Amino acid sequence: MRPQAPDFCLSHCRLRRGRDTIRRDRTALALAGRLVYRAAMNSDENADAGTQSGDAPMAAGSAAPDHPAVSAEPELRAEIAAQGPEPVLDLRPEKGFAHILHALRDFRQGMALFRLGWMLGWLDIKLRYRGSMLGPFWMTISTAVLVGSMGVLYAALFHIELRVYLPFLSFSLVLWALLGSTVSEGCATFTRSAGLIHAVRMPFSTHVLRVTVRNFLTFLHSVGVIAIVFMIFHITPTLNWQIPASLMLWGVDLYAITLLVGVLGARFRDIPPVSASVMQILFFVTPVLWKPDLIYTGRQYMLLDPCFPFLEIIRGTFMGTPVRPSIWLMAILYSMILWFISFLLFARMRARLAYWV
């Protein structure tokens, strides 16, 4: 036979609509636990007293004494009211533009926690290379060896002077490494932070910022290779408005890519191998190893590759090569399309991310 629940009121634990989280009131739960304990102790004492004295059972219609839990309920309510608003949970589905407003609020709260996202990305770098002698500078050495070996070989194959091809190759490989790491690690943006998502209430955009900062810090360790090559061949970047514009466009696009593949990777676990295959194909299609000047016919179709204007706006600017207005136009157009798709997908799927990971 199932035991009867104790006769006390837990009206402070009721569930209302109005918010999207549950907050536990420890004081209220402690008071409720004490009431349960008192009720159990009083019932045991009354039962023992009735057994020892042999009193007759209470006659029908006689008034029962007040239960201590019931008599203490006003005091309990007063203490709960002094604690502030009661924990609530909003289980209503998002209607209309509510999911867009919630996504915008998530971005706003995530930007307010920018320092937290930066520190999490920095700690990821420290933990990844903990115990290593050179740490992330191993990537700098491997990049330098790769650029030196491939630069001499492909310069001879393409019949290009080494002083022209080596700076181009070094800049292209470092930029492509940043783009590739953004896509590959962005697929696990939310799945790798599943424990933190389930344990701490935090904007999802903070996790996106964390991965973006981590990839950016890794990229900075390879920038030294570009600087050394530029100094050897006396290449000076052209200082104009295109440098800050290209850097800003790269920053917002990398954030959008991380957000897009992060949401898709949380829902579909096949996204990481698919994205790796797509990036491998784009590596050979996009002018990374070969210069765009090598194509004479059909050069206008290169703009259909979204990676080409994305690379060219920053590569041509720092190498002193003039960037055509059509390339800037396509880069801005692709950026707008990317942000439109990423934001709509995130706004639609944001409420389900915690269940998918």
Side-chain angles (χ1 to χ4, degrees):
M1 183 176 180
R2 296 180 61 182
Q4 296 290 334
D7 185 14
F8 70 100
C9 180
L10 284 177
S11 60
H12 62 285
C13 294
R14 71 180 184 273
L15 195 63
R16 291 188 320 179
R17 295 178 176 178
R19 296 182 184 176
D20 57 353
T21 56
I22 298 179
R23 297 177 302 170
R24 296 182 179 178
D25 193 336
R26 297 182 178 179
T27 304
L29 293 178
L31 291 174
R34 288 200 295 268
L35 291 178
V36 175
Y37 178 76
R38 291 175 186 174
M41 294 297 295
N42 290 335
S43 61
D44 292 342
E45 292 177 359
N46 293 336
D48 294 340
T51 303
Q52 294 177 1
S53 60
D55 292 340
M58 185 180 298
S62 59
D66 293 338
H67 202 282
V70 178
S71 59
E73 184 180 353
E75 178 185 355
L76 180 62
R77 288 183 175 178
E79 291 202 24
I80 296 172
Q83 296 294 327
E86 298 180 359
V88 292
L89 176 65
D90 188 3
L91 298 177
R92 294 173 297 180
E94 295 178 334
K95 296 181 180 180
F97 295 97
H99 58 282
I100 297 180
L101 297 178
H102 293 163
L104 291 175
R105 183 178 61 183
D106 193 291
F107 281 124
R108 178 176 56 82
Q109 295 175 352
M111 289 298 104
L113 297 176
F114 178 82
R115 294 181 58 186
L116 175 62
W118 181 274
M119 289 304 301
L120 289 175
W122 174 259
L123 290 177
D124 288 342
I125 297 295
K126 294 184 64 176
L127 293 177
R128 177 182 297 180
Y129 298 101
R130 183 177 57 181
S132 176
M133 295 181 60
L134 296 179
F137 289 101
W138 282 111
M139 299 186 61
T140 307
I141 298 176
S142 62
T143 304
V145 174
L146 181 64
V147 169
S149 58
M150 293 184 63
V152 176
L153 176 61
Y154 280 87
L157 290 177
F158 294 141
H159 303 285
I160 305 175
E161 295 183 6
L162 188 61
R163 63 179 182 86
V164 176
Y165 182 71
L166 195 60
F168 169 83
L169 181 64
S170 61
F171 211 118
S172 301
L173 288 179
V174 172
L175 287 180
W176 189 264
L178 174 59
L179 183 60
S181 63
T182 299
V183 175
S184 60
E185 296 193 12
C187 295
T189 299
F190 301 111
T191 54
R192 289 184 182 178
S193 302
L196 192 60
I197 292 175
H198 294 161
V200 181
R201 182 187 178 187
M202 186 182 300
F204 289 105
S205 56
T206 305
H207 304 288
V208 181
L209 180 62
R210 173 186 183 178
V211 177
T212 305
V213 170
R214 184 173 65 213
N215 293 328
F216 174 72
L217 294 177
T218 305
F219 162 76
L220 290 181
H221 292 87
S222 299
V223 173
V225 178
I226 303 176
I228 293 175
V229 172
F230 277 30
M231 286 189 298
I232 292 175
F233 295 99
H234 305 286
I235 296 178
T236 303
T238 303
L239 301 178
N240 52 21
W241 63 270
Q242 294 183 359
I243 291 181
S246 59
L247 292 176
M248 184 180 301
L249 194 62
W250 259 75
V252 296
D253 284 352
L254 292 178
Y255 187 91
I257 292 173
T258 306
L259 180 64
L260 176 62
V261 297
V263 175
L264 293 176
R267 179 62 182 89
F268 305 102
R269 300 308 167 92
D270 298 329
I271 294 298
V274 171
S275 62
S277 301
V278 173
M279 293 301 295
Q280 186 176 7
I281 296 174
L282 290 176
F283 176 74
F284 294 101
V285 175
T286 307
V288 178
L289 300 178
W290 48 276
K291 292 178 67 66
D293 301 337
L294 296 177
I295 294 182
Y296 299 101
T297 59
R299 185 178 297 179
Q300 65 275 10
Y301 297 108
M302 294 174 57
L303 294 177
L304 298 179
D305 179 12
C307 296
F308 169 62
F310 191 52
L311 291 175
E312 191 63 22
I313 59 173
I314 191 171
R315 181 175 57 191
T317 302
F318 277 87
M319 294 186 62
T321 305
V323 181
R324 301 194 309 269
S326 59
I327 296 179
W328 272 103
L329 180 62
M330 293 303 297
I332 296 175
L333 179 61
Y334 284 133
S335 178
M336 294 175 60
I337 295 175
L338 175 63
W339 262 103
F340 180 76
I341 297 176
S342 301
F343 178 77
L344 288 185
L345 185 64
F346 174 71
R348 188 65 180 175
M349 304 301 178
R350 187 187 65 87
R352 308 174 188 177
L353 288 176
Y355 300 99
W356 288 342
V357 298

